[in-house]
Amino acid sequence: ERRIEPRLGPELLGAKSEVFDSGRKTIVDCAHVKVERLQTHPTLFSKVFKEFEDSKGQKYDYRYWAERENFFLREFLKKQNEFTHVVQARHLISENEAAKQVLTCDAGITIANWLRVKSRYTDTATLSHPFQRSDAFLRLIRACLVALKQIHDHRIVHCDIKDDNICVPFAPNPFPGEGQKIHLEFEKLKIIDFAFSIAHAIPLTQILVINPDERVPYQSELLISALRSDRRSGSPNAVQQLDYRVDLFSLGYMAEKISAAGLDCPPGPGDIGAMKGVRSLVQRLKAFDSAPSIGPLPHDGLIAEIDCLLVATAGLSESL
């Protein structure tokens, strides 16, 4: 396969779509990291970590986290049959014998970007986003649970599950143009951004640099409590003990945020039951923040519950 290596040229101007257009584009540029989509074939994403100083004057060298993310992704690549829902790394770029940049393959469009796409179906007016139909929403949450089960089975906790860190590709790709049919490939959903992930087989040597005093709503109370405990002790022992409940709570928060804007349910006698099922599912996911960690992983049971709900809403999203 012919490959074109990254070329850092000027930003492309006048993009027709911020979601579908390819080429070099700055995705994030903040105090500790810069993420760009590079003009390469196949498409690569560049994540450059910076030295960061917080509001209290504490300096953090994020190259440790670049090395950690690269190690995570390399380990996943060794087990491709097991980690089919994890973004794949291309290579690591070092500077002064320390990791500085991680290049990853394109995993698809983030859920955050999909939520900005005004899709429509052949039988309806324009929708707010592609997951407004209840069956599409359920397929999204189901695919997220399948992906999370892959990492949770290996006692890996992502710790930063949100709509910016989950990607769903589409077909046909490239985008055929306005008014053309596309298909969201839920079965190829991938999780990205493993810099702050926890794995029992890869112990942390530094305290996780998530500030518990700047908590955002999708972060679990379990995570925040562990972060505070580690700051008191000066070692990452509490965070190292976190489990799948942290990620399931974050997934529940994301699902609630999407569904709170309103879902379209199929007309008929089953619509009330389907919407009740959606609300129950969301609340069950969020309840993992306070649930005990006992017994087997709950993912299969949640997936089976979604499969039952999908029977009542089958087929509605095929005409996207």
Side-chain angles (χ1 to χ4, degrees):
E1 182 180 13
R2 184 178 65 91
R3 293 184 181 274
I4 302 173
E5 293 304 322
R7 256 194 348 266
L8 298 182
E11 282 285 332
L12 296 180
L13 301 177
K16 295 179 181 179
S17 168
E18 292 184 9
V19 174
F20 292 108
D21 281 355
S22 60
R24 180 167 180 256
K25 176 186 173 187
T26 300
I27 310 298
V28 175
D29 190 3
C30 59
H32 69 279
V33 69
K34 182 174 183 178
V35 180
E36 294 178 298
R37 183 171 57 210
L38 302 179
Q39 192 173 1
T40 61
H41 177 77
T43 302
L44 295 177
F45 281 76
S46 159
K47 179 185 289 186
V48 178
F49 290 83
K50 313 172 186 177
E51 186 178 65
F52 171 64
E53 183 174 324
D54 65 16
S55 57
K56 298 179 181 179
Q58 177 68 44
K59 288 187 177 182
Y60 299 98
D61 187 348
Y62 268 65
R63 288 177 296 183
Y64 166 79
W65 304 102
E67 289 176 338
R68 184 172 175 81
E69 176 163 39
N70 180 70
F71 184 78
F72 259 104
L73 297 179
R74 294 291 182 189
E75 288 299 303
F76 290 147
L77 284 177
K78 292 177 183 176
K79 303 176 181 179
Q80 288 188 36
N81 293 333
E82 297 179 52
F83 294 112
T84 56
H85 296 288
V86 172
V87 64
Q88 295 185 356
R90 173 67 189 281
H91 57 250
L92 177 75
I93 297 176
S94 300
E95 185 177 273
N96 299 326
E97 298 183 353
K100 177 176 175 157
Q101 183 181 27
V102 176
L103 293 183
T104 57
C105 299
D106 182 16
I109 294 176
T110 66
I111 292 175
N113 271 335
W114 277 122
L115 290 172
R116 296 162 49 201
V117 174
K118 303 295 183 182
S119 59
R120 61 185 174 86
Y121 296 84
T122 55
D123 59 341
T124 69
T126 301
L127 301 176
S128 299
H129 55 77
F131 316 116
Q132 189 172 348
R133 281 285 182 87
S134 56
D135 60 328
F137 170 81
L138 289 167
R139 290 178 67 195
L140 172 66
I141 304 307
R142 186 191 192 282
C144 290
L145 284 166
V146 170
L148 287 173
K149 185 175 187 298
Q150 279 193 352
I151 64 173
H152 292 163
D153 275 340
H154 293 264
R155 301 183 73 188
I156 297 168
V157 188
H158 188 276
C159 290
D160 200 24
I161 291 296
K162 56 183 178 179
D163 52 17
D164 284 317
N165 288 337
I166 302 174
C167 295
V168 183
F170 66 94
N173 189 354
F175 180 55
E178 186 176 355
Q180 302 300 312
K181 284 188 178 182
I182 62 171
H183 169 68
L184 273 69
E185 299 182 308
F186 291 106
E187 67 280 1
K188 295 182 180 179
L189 178 146
K190 283 185 168 55
I191 303 172
I192 65 173
D193 198 355
F194 281 79
F196 299 152
S197 298
I198 306 302
H200 286 261
I202 314 172
L204 285 164
T205 59
Q206 294 187 21
I207 294 175
L208 205 61
V209 288
I210 300 174
N211 189 346
D213 297 327
E214 298 177 359
R215 180 183 181 181
V216 287
Y218 73 87
Q219 290 174 332
S220 164
E221 180 59 38
L222 294 170
L223 172 63
I224 298 302
S225 297
L227 290 170
R228 287 178 175 151
S229 176
D230 285 350
R231 274 157 177 72
R232 289 192 298 267
S233 68
S235 62
N237 294 334
V239 163
Q240 194 68 53
Q241 303 306 312
L242 292 173
D243 58 33
Y244 65 88
R245 294 174 294 171
V246 169
D247 290 342
L248 292 187
F249 169 82
S250 296
L251 176 61
Y253 177 84
M254 184 187 77
E256 185 177 59
K257 186 174 70 170
I258 295 174
S259 62
L263 297 178
D264 287 345
C265 202
D271 58 350
I272 297 177
M275 291 312 298
K276 283 184 177 179
V278 168
R279 288 192 292 270
S280 173
L281 173 68
V282 169
Q283 293 308 312
R284 284 185 63 193
L285 287 169
K286 292 187 68 180
F288 280 103
D289 203 25
S290 55
S293 178
I294 54 175
L297 292 178
H299 302 59
D300 286 339
L302 293 166
I303 291 169
E305 182 180 328
I306 292 175
D307 287 340
C308 291
L309 291 170
L310 280 170
V311 171
T313 58
L316 286 179
S317 298
E318 293 306 313
S319 58
L320 175 61

